[in-house]
Amino acid sequence: MRSMNIDLHIHSSFSDGAFSPTELVGIAVQQDVRAMAIADHDSVAGVEEATNAGSAIGVTVLSAVELSVKFEEWQDVHLLGYGINCKDEKFLLNLDGFRCRREGRNGDILERVNACLHAEGRSRLNIENVLAFARGSIGRPHIARALLERGYVNTVEDAFRRYLVPCNVPKSYWPMDEAIAEIHRIGGVAVLAHPTSISKDLARLGPVIDALHLLGLDGIEVYNNMGWPLEIEFLRRTAEESGLLMTAGSDFHGIEEGLEIGRGREGIRFDSALLAPLYERIDSVRG
Ligand code: AMP
Ligand code: FE
Ligand code: FE
Ligand code: ZN
């Protein structure tokens, strides 16, 4: 029998992923992934479609979202919510607000990018060029694709390095304690995404994870696409020693080179053994 993989961090076209939820379920099946989560930025619009596509083909879909959060001096910490009620009206209104505030920010970033393009003697991008790649929660990756389409950059990474990091404008962020409380209120568990994005200095990262645990964090994404084996081992040990849940997710957007659903860097498999403790914790949050 072939072993079962999971992938709890996948982006769809409802945020900055290239594929629809239905297409993602189809790709996941081909990778032997039998449980997955669409964790879009500021949106849960893809969860229902994925759930329906999954149940037709034998893939379990766990509801999820990825929130942008601030904590102490760190901005844009990514927090995953799993098992959440995607129909909670107050939560949906909150997400609407975050997506709306992205609109003003996207315009500001585009102005900065256009100033760079003008200085290089290139023609401007219009918001329509960006919206052509978007249907939900819109952000810098959509501007990256517009730059790629024009041939101004060769890869999405190149677009970030040359334009979107230097021209960035901060988003609006959830305060960490509010984000964790909101995820719990709607029956979910809160998991820190790609923890090394906070700091690659593990002596610095450890105490931050401890502080988040005290605030009510339930788990950390031990197996993720950002981590190298030594970092993953550090995260695994941290979770084991502190009693935090461990999760696994590729952060697949469908545009990164060499990244597959169900696997991390260097082909590390995401094992389904992580699922049972996660479901147990979701049950205990829901009481
Ligand atoms: P935004 O929420 O608009 O700031 O966009 C952030 C998203 O851009 C992240 O969730 C990633 O999907 C993507 N991203 C951020 N940095 C990079 C990078 N250096 N290369 C490629 N994609 C990136
Ligand atoms: Fe993203
Ligand atoms: Fe993220
Ligand atoms: Zn993500």
Side-chain angles (χ1 to χ4, degrees):
M1 200 178 99
R2 291 164 95 178
S3 57
M4 190 178 119
N5 294 349
I6 64 171
D7 194 331
L8 300 180
H9 189 161
I10 299 172
H11 290 275
S12 82
S13 45
F14 284 99
S15 67
D16 51 2
F19 297 102
S20 73
T22 303
E23 288 168 333
L24 290 167
V25 169
I27 298 170
V29 163
Q30 286 171 6
Q31 303 290 344
D32 292 322
V33 167
R34 292 292 181 272
M36 61 185 273
I38 305 287
D40 277 322
H41 303 282
D42 301 338
S43 173
V44 289
V47 173
E48 189 171 350
E49 181 186 323
T51 305
N52 293 338
S55 63
I57 206 171
V59 175
T60 303
V61 174
L62 181 60
S63 61
V65 71
E66 186 172 29
L67 304 179
S68 295
V69 176
K70 60 186 174 192
F71 176 66
E72 295 178 347
E73 68 263 47
W74 290 279
Q75 281 195 345
D76 217 357
V77 174
H78 288 184
L79 189 71
L80 299 157
Y82 289 118
I84 52 174
N85 172 10
C86 293
K87 298 209 160 33
D88 183 275
E89 292 207 354
K90 180 166 168 254
F91 181 62
L92 291 175
L93 271 176
N94 248 330
L95 292 186
D96 278 346
F98 278 90
R99 287 198 304 272
C100 282
R101 289 190 293 280
R102 273 176 176 273
E103 277 176 33
R105 172 199 181 232
N106 289 333
D108 294 344
I109 295 174
L110 208 52
E111 280 313 306
R112 292 185 178 194
V113 169
N114 278 331
C116 293
L117 293 176
H118 181 73
E120 294 165 354
R122 291 173 153 159
S123 48
R124 318 173 33 91
L125 287 177
N126 296 315
I127 192 70
E128 289 72 27
N129 305 130
V130 176
L131 295 180
F133 294 95
R135 79 189 239 220
S137 176
I138 306 166
R140 285 183 294 162
H142 302 100
I143 303 177
R145 275 180 239 169
L147 288 163
L148 199 58
E149 185 191 47
R150 282 278 175 91
Y152 294 164
V153 294
N154 293 322
T155 62
V156 169
E157 277 71 26
D158 200 22
F160 270 86
R161 192 176 46 77
R162 281 172 50 200
Y163 297 102
L164 297 164
V165 170
C167 299
N168 192 28
V169 173
K171 279 182 288 213
S172 97
Y173 304 104
W174 296 74
M176 181 61 82
D177 52 349
E178 285 179 24
I180 293 174
E182 181 71 347
I183 289 169
H184 288 162
R185 185 184 70 76
I186 57 174
V189 302
V191 172
L192 181 64
H194 38 72
T196 51
S197 64
I198 292 179
S199 175
K200 290 250 173 208
D201 177 353
L202 302 183
R204 201 152 178 237
L205 179 59
V208 178
I209 293 176
D210 290 342
L212 297 179
H213 195 184
L214 282 175
L215 279 182
L217 185 76
D218 299 282
I220 57 178
E221 191 177 60
V222 169
Y223 303 95
N224 66 79
N225 171 47
M226 201 176 277
W228 292 102
L230 271 178
E231 294 163 346
I232 289 176
E233 178 52 22
F234 167 82
L235 294 171
R236 196 195 60 73
R237 233 182 27 247
T238 302
E240 199 172 71
E241 286 166 5
S242 62
L244 283 160
L245 289 167
M246 305 184 204
T247 68
S250 63
D251 211 349
F252 181 87
H253 292 75
I255 48 178
E256 359 354 54
E257 264 176 44
L259 183 66
E260 286 179 7
I261 287 182
R263 286 177 191 276
R265 267 192 184 163
E266 304 189 343
I268 291 178
R269 274 190 52 229
F270 299 150
D271 203 291
S272 58
L274 301 172
L275 275 184
L278 179 60
Y279 278 111
E280 266 172 41
R281 185 71 63 95
I282 291 169
D283 281 348
S284 78
V285 167
R286 290 180 186 169

